[in-house]
Amino acid sequence: MATAYAAEAIVLRSFRTGEADRVVHLLTPAGRVNVIAKGARKTTAKMGARLEPMTRIEAMIQPGKGDLSTITGAHVLWSGDDLRRDPVRVLAATGGIEAIVRLFPEPEPDQRLFDGLARYLVAMTEPLGDDLRAGAEVLTLAFVLKLLALAGWRPEVAACVGCGGAVEVYDAAAGCAFCGACGSGMPLDQASATAAARLISEPLGALLTLPAGQRTAIARLCRATAEEHGGVRLSLLAQSPRG
Ligand SMILES: [Zn+2]
Protein backbone atom coordinates (compact mmCIF):
# COMPACT_ATOMS: atom_id res chain seq x y z
CA MET A 1 0.00 0.00 0.00
CA ALA A 2 1.27 3.48 -0.88
CA THR A 3 2.33 5.73 1.98
CA ALA A 4 -0.09 8.29 3.41
CA TYR A 5 0.89 11.91 2.87
CA ALA A 6 -0.12 15.38 4.08
CA ALA A 7 -1.27 17.98 1.56
CA GLU A 8 -2.72 21.45 1.67
CA ALA A 9 -6.06 21.27 -0.12
CA ILE A 10 -9.18 23.29 -0.95
CA VAL A 11 -12.50 21.46 -0.99
CA LEU A 12 -14.15 21.94 -4.39
CA ARG A 13 -17.20 19.70 -4.02
CA SER A 14 -18.47 16.94 -1.81
CA PHE A 15 -21.10 14.27 -2.46
CA ARG A 16 -22.87 11.80 -0.20
CA THR A 17 -22.15 8.18 -0.87
CA GLY A 18 -23.17 5.00 0.93
CA GLU A 19 -24.46 5.07 4.49
CA ALA A 20 -22.31 7.78 5.98
CA ASP A 21 -19.47 8.43 3.59
CA ARG A 22 -18.67 11.37 1.38
CA VAL A 23 -16.70 11.68 -1.82
CA VAL A 24 -14.73 14.91 -1.70
CA HIS A 25 -13.06 16.60 -4.66
CA LEU A 26 -9.96 18.49 -3.58
CA LEU A 27 -7.63 20.90 -5.31
CA THR A 28 -4.05 20.67 -4.04
CA PRO A 29 -0.89 22.38 -5.38
CA ALA A 30 -0.13 18.96 -6.91
CA GLY A 31 -3.45 18.95 -8.76
CA ARG A 32 -6.94 17.53 -8.37
CA VAL A 33 -7.40 14.66 -5.91
CA ASN A 34 -10.66 12.78 -5.25
CA VAL A 35 -10.91 11.27 -1.77
CA ILE A 36 -13.46 9.31 0.21
CA ALA A 37 -14.19 10.40 3.78
CA LYS A 38 -15.49 7.41 5.70
CA GLY A 39 -18.19 8.14 8.26
CA ALA A 40 -18.09 11.86 7.46
CA ARG A 41 -21.87 12.23 7.56
CA LYS A 42 -22.34 10.82 11.05
CA THR A 43 -23.21 13.68 13.38
CA THR A 44 -20.47 12.56 15.72
CA ALA A 45 -17.87 12.78 12.99
CA LYS A 46 -15.97 16.03 13.29
CA MET A 47 -14.42 15.47 9.88
CA GLY A 48 -17.65 16.40 8.06
CA ALA A 49 -17.52 20.09 8.99
CA ARG A 50 -13.95 20.27 7.78
CA LEU A 51 -14.93 19.02 4.35
CA GLU A 52 -17.46 21.70 3.39
CA PRO A 53 -16.81 23.18 -0.07
CA MET A 54 -14.46 26.20 -0.08
CA THR A 55 -12.68 25.14 3.14
CA ARG A 56 -8.86 25.09 2.98
CA ILE A 57 -7.40 22.21 4.94
CA GLU A 58 -4.25 20.29 5.66
CA ALA A 59 -5.37 16.81 4.68
CA MET A 60 -3.90 13.40 5.47
CA ILE A 61 -4.43 11.30 2.38
CA GLN A 62 -4.04 7.55 2.03
CA PRO A 63 -3.68 6.63 -1.64
CA GLY A 64 -5.95 3.76 -2.67
CA LYS A 65 -6.26 1.53 -5.68
CA GLY A 66 -7.34 3.46 -8.74
CA ASP A 67 -8.55 7.03 -8.59
CA LEU A 68 -10.03 7.27 -5.15
CA SER A 69 -7.87 7.88 -2.09
CA THR A 70 -9.08 8.02 1.50
CA ILE A 71 -8.85 11.12 3.64
CA THR A 72 -7.89 10.03 7.13
CA GLY A 73 -7.48 13.40 8.81
CA ALA A 74 -8.12 17.10 8.19
CA HIS A 75 -6.93 20.23 9.96
CA VAL A 76 -8.68 23.48 9.03
CA LEU A 77 -6.38 26.22 7.67
CA TRP A 78 -9.20 28.54 6.51
CA SER A 79 -12.79 27.66 7.37
CA GLY A 80 -14.66 29.70 4.77
CA ASP A 81 -17.39 30.33 7.40
CA ASP A 82 -17.46 34.08 6.61
CA LEU A 83 -18.06 33.23 2.96
CA ARG A 84 -20.67 30.50 3.48
CA ARG A 85 -22.86 32.61 5.75
CA ASP A 86 -23.70 35.00 2.89
CA PRO A 87 -25.79 33.44 0.08
CA VAL A 88 -24.84 36.17 -2.42
CA ARG A 89 -21.12 35.51 -1.93
CA VAL A 90 -21.67 31.72 -1.95
CA LEU A 91 -23.55 31.88 -5.25
CA ALA A 92 -20.77 33.89 -6.89
CA ALA A 93 -18.02 31.69 -5.43
CA THR A 94 -19.83 28.58 -6.66
CA GLY A 95 -19.40 29.97 -10.19
CA GLY A 96 -15.65 30.35 -9.59
CA ILE A 97 -15.36 26.80 -8.21
CA GLU A 98 -17.38 25.43 -11.13
CA ALA A 99 -15.00 27.13 -13.55
CA ILE A 100 -12.01 25.41 -11.88
CA VAL A 101 -13.76 22.03 -11.95
CA ARG A 102 -14.57 22.33 -15.66
CA LEU A 103 -11.45 24.10 -16.94
CA PHE A 104 -8.90 22.04 -14.97
CA PRO A 105 -10.17 18.44 -14.90
CA GLU A 106 -6.74 16.79 -14.97
CA PRO A 107 -4.62 15.99 -11.90
CA GLU A 108 -1.79 18.28 -13.01
CA PRO A 109 0.38 20.17 -10.49
CA ASP A 110 -0.27 23.91 -10.59
CA GLN A 111 0.78 26.05 -7.64
CA ARG A 112 -0.51 29.24 -9.30
CA LEU A 113 -3.96 27.71 -9.76
CA PHE A 114 -4.06 26.65 -6.10
CA ASP A 115 -2.82 30.04 -4.83
CA GLY A 116 -5.27 31.83 -7.14
CA LEU A 117 -8.25 29.90 -5.79
CA ALA A 118 -7.15 30.50 -2.18
CA ARG A 119 -6.81 34.25 -2.90
CA TYR A 120 -10.17 34.40 -4.71
CA LEU A 121 -12.04 32.73 -1.85
CA VAL A 122 -10.52 35.10 0.74
CA ALA A 123 -11.26 38.10 -1.52
CA MET A 124 -14.88 36.93 -1.69
CA THR A 125 -15.19 37.56 2.08
CA GLU A 126 -13.93 41.15 1.82
CA PRO A 127 -16.00 44.32 1.23
CA LEU A 128 -17.15 44.21 -2.40
CA GLY A 129 -18.58 47.69 -2.89
CA ASP A 130 -22.03 49.20 -2.42
CA ASP A 131 -23.74 46.61 -4.63
CA LEU A 132 -22.66 43.30 -3.12
CA ARG A 133 -24.14 41.10 -5.85
CA ALA A 134 -22.49 43.14 -8.61
CA GLY A 135 -19.15 43.26 -6.77
CA ALA A 136 -19.20 39.49 -6.18
CA GLU A 137 -20.00 38.93 -9.88
CA VAL A 138 -17.13 41.15 -11.05
CA LEU A 139 -14.71 39.39 -8.67
CA THR A 140 -15.78 36.05 -10.15
CA LEU A 141 -15.46 37.34 -13.74
CA ALA A 142 -11.93 38.56 -12.95
CA PHE A 143 -11.10 35.14 -11.47
CA VAL A 144 -12.49 33.26 -14.47
CA LEU A 145 -10.59 35.50 -16.92
CA LYS A 146 -7.40 34.74 -14.99
CA LEU A 147 -8.26 31.01 -15.10
CA LEU A 148 -8.68 31.23 -18.88
CA ALA A 149 -5.25 32.91 -19.07
CA LEU A 150 -3.72 30.17 -16.87
CA ALA A 151 -5.25 27.55 -19.17
CA GLY A 152 -3.47 29.25 -22.09
CA TRP A 153 -6.53 30.98 -23.56
CA ARG A 154 -5.95 34.57 -22.44
CA PRO A 155 -8.38 36.79 -24.37
CA GLU A 156 -6.55 39.68 -26.09
CA VAL A 157 -9.21 42.36 -26.02
CA ALA A 158 -7.70 45.75 -25.09
CA ALA A 159 -7.89 46.94 -28.73
CA CYS A 160 -8.33 45.52 -32.24
CA VAL A 161 -5.35 43.16 -32.65
CA GLY A 162 -5.30 43.94 -36.39
CA CYS A 163 -5.00 47.72 -36.38
CA GLY A 164 -5.14 48.90 -32.76
CA GLY A 165 -8.51 50.52 -33.42
CA ALA A 166 -11.70 50.39 -31.38
CA VAL A 167 -13.03 46.94 -30.48
CA GLU A 168 -16.28 45.89 -32.12
CA VAL A 169 -16.18 42.08 -32.15
CA TYR A 170 -14.60 39.17 -30.27
CA ASP A 171 -13.41 36.13 -32.19
CA ALA A 172 -13.54 33.33 -29.59
CA ALA A 173 -11.62 30.86 -31.79
CA ALA A 174 -8.74 33.33 -32.25
CA GLY A 175 -9.12 34.51 -28.64
CA CYS A 176 -8.88 38.17 -29.61
CA ALA A 177 -10.87 41.28 -30.39
CA PHE A 178 -11.11 43.11 -33.71
CA CYS A 179 -12.64 46.21 -35.19
CA GLY A 180 -15.40 45.55 -37.72
CA ALA A 181 -12.97 45.95 -40.64
CA CYS A 182 -10.21 43.60 -39.40
CA GLY A 183 -12.22 40.61 -38.21
CA SER A 184 -15.52 39.07 -37.25
CA GLY A 185 -17.08 37.37 -34.28
CA MET A 186 -19.57 38.04 -31.51
CA PRO A 187 -20.34 41.71 -30.80
CA LEU A 188 -18.13 43.27 -28.09
CA ASP A 189 -18.13 46.96 -27.26
CA GLN A 190 -14.91 48.85 -26.43
CA ALA A 191 -15.96 49.70 -22.84
CA SER A 192 -16.59 46.02 -22.00
CA ALA A 193 -13.36 45.02 -23.78
CA THR A 194 -11.37 47.60 -21.79
CA ALA A 195 -12.93 46.36 -18.55
CA ALA A 196 -12.11 42.73 -19.42
CA ALA A 197 -8.50 43.66 -20.25
CA ARG A 198 -8.22 45.43 -16.87
CA LEU A 199 -9.70 42.45 -15.00
CA ILE A 200 -7.12 40.17 -16.64
CA SER A 201 -4.08 42.38 -15.97
CA GLU A 202 -4.89 43.98 -12.60
CA PRO A 203 -4.77 42.18 -9.24
CA LEU A 204 -7.91 40.30 -8.21
CA GLY A 205 -10.33 42.69 -6.52
CA ALA A 206 -8.70 45.90 -7.86
CA LEU A 207 -11.74 46.58 -10.05
CA LEU A 208 -15.14 45.67 -8.58
CA THR A 209 -17.64 48.13 -10.06
CA LEU A 210 -18.91 47.55 -13.59
CA PRO A 211 -22.30 48.30 -15.16
CA ALA A 212 -24.61 45.31 -15.65
CA GLY A 213 -24.23 45.45 -19.44
CA GLN A 214 -20.45 45.12 -19.19
CA ARG A 215 -20.75 42.27 -16.68
CA THR A 216 -23.04 40.43 -19.09
CA ALA A 217 -20.73 41.07 -22.06
CA ILE A 218 -17.66 39.82 -20.15
CA ALA A 219 -19.53 36.71 -18.93
CA ARG A 220 -20.49 35.98 -22.56
CA LEU A 221 -16.85 36.42 -23.62
CA CYS A 222 -15.71 34.00 -20.88
CA ARG A 223 -18.35 31.41 -21.79
CA ALA A 224 -17.50 31.60 -25.51
CA THR A 225 -13.75 31.23 -24.82
CA ALA A 226 -14.24 28.25 -22.48
CA GLU A 227 -16.56 26.54 -24.93
CA GLU A 228 -14.35 27.18 -27.97
CA HIS A 229 -11.03 26.11 -26.43
CA GLY A 230 -11.95 23.81 -23.56
CA GLY A 231 -15.21 22.41 -24.92
CA VAL A 232 -16.83 23.23 -21.56
CA ARG A 233 -19.91 25.22 -20.66
CA LEU A 234 -19.73 27.73 -17.83
CA SER A 235 -23.05 28.76 -16.30
CA LEU A 236 -21.47 32.07 -15.25
CA LEU A 237 -24.13 34.81 -14.81
CA ALA A 238 -26.35 32.86 -17.19
CA GLN A 239 -29.44 34.12 -15.39
CA SER A 240 -28.32 37.73 -15.14
CA PRO A 241 -30.53 40.27 -16.86
CA ARG A 242 -28.94 42.29 -19.63
CA GLY A 243 -28.59 45.93 -18.82
ZN1 LIG B 1 -8.85 46.72 -36.79
Side-chain angles (χ1 to χ4, degrees), residues 159-168 177-183:
C160 169
V161 299
C163 69
V167 169
E168 291 176 87
F178 294 105
C179 70
C182 289

Side-chain angles (χ1 to χ4, degrees), residues 62-74:
Q62 174 66 59
K65 288 177 195 159
D67 274 354
L68 208 58
S69 303
T70 303
I71 183 165
T72 57

